[in-house]
Amino acid sequence: MVFNRDAMTRISTRKVLSIQSHVVHGYVGNKAATFPLQYQGWDVDALNTVQFSNHPGYGHFTGFRYDAGHLCEILEQGLAKSLEIQYDAVLMGYLPGVESLRKIGEAVGEMSARDPDLKWVLDPVLGDNGKLYVSGENVDAYKQILRHNKIHLVTPNQFEMETLTGVKIQDLESLKSSIEQFQKLYPRVNKIVVTSLELKNGYICACCDGGKIQYASVPRINAHFSGTGDLFSALLLNALVPPAGQTPPTLAQALLLVISLVDLILRRTLELSLSKDDVLPVTINDLKLIQCRDLLVGKHQNKELDAQIRLVDLN
């Protein structure tokens, strides 16, 4: 038997624990994050916080939530204690119950304290469009998690940023004030990306790294998609935590890359989802991630958008 020594060479594989919702059908939560990360070389351990038939955006769904005891037993007794798994990153998304949120936040916080190289990416899923999706107790729980833990990146949307800072975001000046307030309230958070900002200046995305605040105008697509935020956070993680031996990009560089890639995925999803009788705007419940796998490995470039988009300093 002949062995190929090159094939046997150890490949550096990044390992992530993704703690999010799960749907049997569709692509939100862990279903929106797992495949894109795996396709880009990540070994993904998915801890599902809920098990639903489909995204609630369909108007009907069945399923259940996992309780705090089950989630913590899997994480603390199974993954951390028994298997002693060392993760490169933790991606934390939708946790509907406040007890689960608090206990999982404590467990991941302990992991982060033990391993200074662990990159914790937190999407504080609270709500959108001025409405909470979860109990008001979850707001205080997130504030405690953000205040007391070393977090690499946090990715709130506009409503979540307003809720966590108490600053209403209406224009660029109030956006800057909100980010500055966030830094004062939660100084242990390293990087911030604020998504889905609808301001007088248009539709934008903002970031803050090392005190430098920047924003970029984002083109609007005349449709509503489910799972975009989950995909966005996963792709940001991939960009910011490259394989061993590669230099991580700046947050600004990673953000531009991810905005461009998500735009391509959404436009293809729209193209594949529309029928001849559809009239825009439309609601699309499922991203076409499998059909976009070539985009995930950079085989297409978003030349038109890449030429237009740029980051503007707010400091």
Side-chain angles (χ1 to χ4, degrees):
M1 183 178 291
V2 177
F3 292 95
N4 185 331
R5 292 185 178 275
D6 291 335
M8 296 174 65
T9 301
R10 181 179 293 275
I11 299 173
S12 177
T13 302
R14 296 162 290 174
K15 194 167 189 65
V16 60
L17 173 63
S18 183
I19 307 171
Q20 302 191 67
S21 62
H22 172 78
V23 291
V24 175
H25 172 80
Y27 292 93
V28 297
N30 266 333
K31 285 285 290 289
T34 299
F35 174 73
L37 287 172
Q38 288 175 329
Y39 209 69
Q40 295 179 95
W42 285 84
D43 189 1
V44 181
D45 285 353
L47 178 56
N48 299 323
T49 59
V50 304
Q51 170 98 333
F52 290 160
S53 57
N54 52 269
H55 187 266
Y58 275 90
H60 54 83
F61 69 98
T62 60
F64 56 87
R65 301 175 178 180
Y66 292 100
D67 63 40
H70 288 138
L71 293 173
C72 289
E73 182 179 4
I74 291 172
L75 176 54
E76 296 176 320
Q77 300 301 317
L79 301 175
K81 185 176 181 180
S82 298
L83 299 179
E84 298 182 337
I85 299 175
Q86 295 293 116
Y87 291 102
D88 296 293
V90 173
L91 178 58
M92 186 168 154
Y94 180 62
L95 278 150
V98 66
E99 184 181 4
S100 297
L101 178 58
R102 286 171 178 158
K103 290 188 174 182
I104 291 296
E106 290 173 3
V108 177
E110 291 173 2
M111 293 169 61
S112 182
R114 288 194 303 267
D115 182 1
D117 294 324
L118 180 71
K119 300 297 188 293
W120 184 356
V121 175
L122 173 62
D123 183 2
V125 181
L126 290 169
D128 200 1
N129 299 316
K131 296 181 180 180
L132 284 173
Y133 295 157
V134 295
S135 166
E137 292 180 306
N138 286 40
V139 177
D140 291 330
Y142 272 119
K143 288 179 178 180
Q144 291 298 314
I145 291 171
L146 292 166
R147 188 173 292 120
H148 298 295
N149 294 282
K150 179 176 67 72
I151 298 174
H152 187 60
L153 170 68
V154 64
T155 60
N157 62 31
Q158 180 174 348
F159 172 72
E160 291 158 349
M161 188 69 171
E162 293 173 340
T163 303
L164 293 169
T165 63
V167 178
K168 182 70 174 177
I169 303 173
Q170 298 175 310
D171 50 29
L172 292 176
E173 189 60 35
S174 55
L175 170 62
K176 179 182 176 183
S177 297
S178 180
I179 293 175
E180 290 173 343
Q181 178 70 357
F182 191 100
Q183 292 177 294
K184 292 176 183 177
L185 292 172
Y186 316 113
R188 300 196 68 191
V189 175
N190 188 18
K191 305 177 193 297
I192 307 165
V193 170
V194 188
T195 65
S196 305
L197 286 155
E198 294 193 52
L199 309 182
K200 299 173 183 177
N201 310 74
Y203 194 66
I204 70 172
C205 186
C207 66
C208 178
D209 188 8
K212 185 174 184 178
I213 303 172
Q214 298 173 290
Y215 75 94
S217 296
V218 180
R220 291 299 301 266
I221 298 176
N222 201 11
H224 174 75
F225 302 87
S226 297
T228 307
D230 305 318
L231 172 66
F232 188 87
S233 294
L235 294 176
L236 264 179
L237 166 63
N238 176 67
L240 288 170
V241 186
Q246 296 185 19
T247 302
T250 65
L251 179 59
Q253 291 169 335
L255 181 58
L256 291 178
L257 176 69
V258 171
I259 289 174
S260 178
L261 178 53
V262 170
D263 181 78
L264 284 173
I265 291 172
L266 295 184
R267 291 185 186 280
R268 182 176 291 181
T269 294
L270 178 61
E271 179 183 355
L272 294 174
S273 302
L274 286 178
S275 68
K276 63 178 182 179
D277 297 324
D278 285 332
V279 178
L280 298 177
V282 294
T283 295
I284 297 174
N285 289 312
D286 296 314
L287 299 173
K288 303 295 186 182
L289 293 182
I290 305 303
Q291 296 91 328
C292 293
R293 59 191 180 275
D294 59 318
L295 303 178
L296 294 171
V297 292
K299 290 190 175 180
H300 287 69
Q301 291 184 334
N302 200 347
K303 294 181 179 179
E304 181 177 349
L305 179 59
D306 292 344
Q308 296 175 1
I309 193 168
R310 62 187 180 89
L311 282 166
V312 180
D313 292 344
L314 259 182
N315 297 85

